[in-house]
Amino acid sequence: EGGLAGTLCFASGKGAEFWPQQQLADAPLAPGDFSVLDPTTTCESSAAWGIEPLELAPRISPATQLLHAYELRRAQILSAAALMLGDGGGDWVPPRFETGGAALQELFAEVGESVNVLPSVKGPEPRGAVVFADGRLHFGLVEEIRPKPGWCASFLHRRDACSGFLLHLCDVDTVTGSVRKRVGLHATRWFHPCDFVCMALRKRCAHTTAGSKARAAFELEADSLERWVDMQTLLSGDFTCHVECDPHTGCAATAQIARAAHATRAGGRRGGKRRATACRQQARM
């Protein structure tokens, strides 16, 4: 209980001590820091010279922590589903998950690098992105990307708080997956790569009427919609997903999500090879 939130301190080369961090019991996705202190800066001589303990473990942004929690929770559910046969998933495995061999195959499926990587150059077509800022999950279309001076890599670093990208914010219908662009002065907003959670794939709506074409010209693909809904579930804590609303139009909607009994705060996405691939991508960034 509490996981790896705390400080790992090496004691004079004779061993290590772990000091757990106090967690907030009422927080569904409580922020936690894993700290590893440089043993050369924690000895008595360092303290006598006024040397502050040096941090060896890089900080993980709340947005990336949310992605990790989502991946782990899904891996946990798929692992349980892989051990079941037929339709006997019960309350532990939500109805949308298959069981047995199908779940095992999905557990080890590869995840595309383009999903978890924020490019440093905008493509010809606007791509959807999910960000976590101000304690809320936002979805929007990337309209502009501005890397910090001197940055030449093809991706933006997840801990980068200097570069920026502009999103045209959108409202997502969690039932149909349709996406509607917001209008007004607050329809666009700048974010930093440290706010980035993942990309979201979209497609043109199969059927649009004359009245709905301007409101919802495209929708999220099934996998991206699943990510959006499950991340909202993690943040809500009580497994009730509050669809993001535009305060200037007064649009409000609430969608109830099927509850996965006994799901932990640190559950996740696809495990096995898929989870390892995602973690390698995030570590690289």
Side-chain angles (χ1 to χ4, degrees), residues 187-210:
T188 58
R189 178 178 171 182
W190 283 93
F191 294 93
H192 299 293
C194 58
D195 302 321
F196 172 71
V197 179
C198 62
M199 304 301 291
L201 302 180
R202 63 188 183 93
K203 60 182 179 180
R204 291 287 177 182
C205 289
H207 303 284
T208 56
T209 62

Side-chain angles (χ1 to χ4, degrees), residues 31-51:
D33 292 323
F34 180 56
S35 176
V36 180
L37 301 180
D38 186 344
T40 63
T41 62
T42 57
C43 57
E44 295 181 359
S45 58
S46 297
W49 285 94
I51 300 177

Side-chain angles (χ1 to χ4, degrees), residues 119-257:
S120 58
V121 178
K122 178 181 174 296
E125 288 290 331
R127 297 184 60 189
V130 178
V131 297
F132 181 64
D134 304 325
R136 299 182 64 191
L137 207 59
H138 305 267
F139 170 78
L141 300 179
V142 180
E143 293 194 340
E144 188 176 348
I145 300 177
R146 294 181 183 176
K148 61 184 179 181
W151 185 262
C152 300
S154 60
F155 60 89
L156 296 180
H157 203 289
R158 283 185 171 269
R159 295 194 299 273
D160 183 356
C162 298
S163 302
F165 59 99
L166 181 66
L167 287 186
H168 189 130
L169 299 177
C170 304
D171 293 312
V172 180
D173 187 325
T174 57
V175 177
T176 64
S178 63
V179 176
R180 179 176 60 88
K181 286 185 177 182
R182 296 182 183 176
V183 296
L185 297 176
H186 301 275
T188 58
R189 178 178 171 182
W190 283 93
F191 294 93
H192 299 293
C194 58
D195 302 321
F196 172 71
V197 179
C198 62
M199 304 301 291
L201 302 180
R202 63 188 183 93
K203 60 182 179 180
R204 291 287 177 182
C205 289
H207 303 284
T208 56
T209 62
S212 65
K213 187 174 182 180
R215 294 177 57 85
F218 62 92
E219 58 189 23
L220 293 181
E221 292 188 0
D223 191 67
S224 295
L225 179 60
E226 177 188 308
R227 279 189 168 217
W228 172 261
V229 171
D230 286 352
M231 287 180 181
Q232 291 278 21
T233 305
L234 280 173
L235 291 174
S236 66
D238 60 352
F239 297 90
T240 299
C241 175
H242 298 281
V243 180
E244 207 175 38
C245 306
D246 188 346
H248 303 283
T249 62
C251 174
T254 301
Q256 204 69 23
I257 298 176

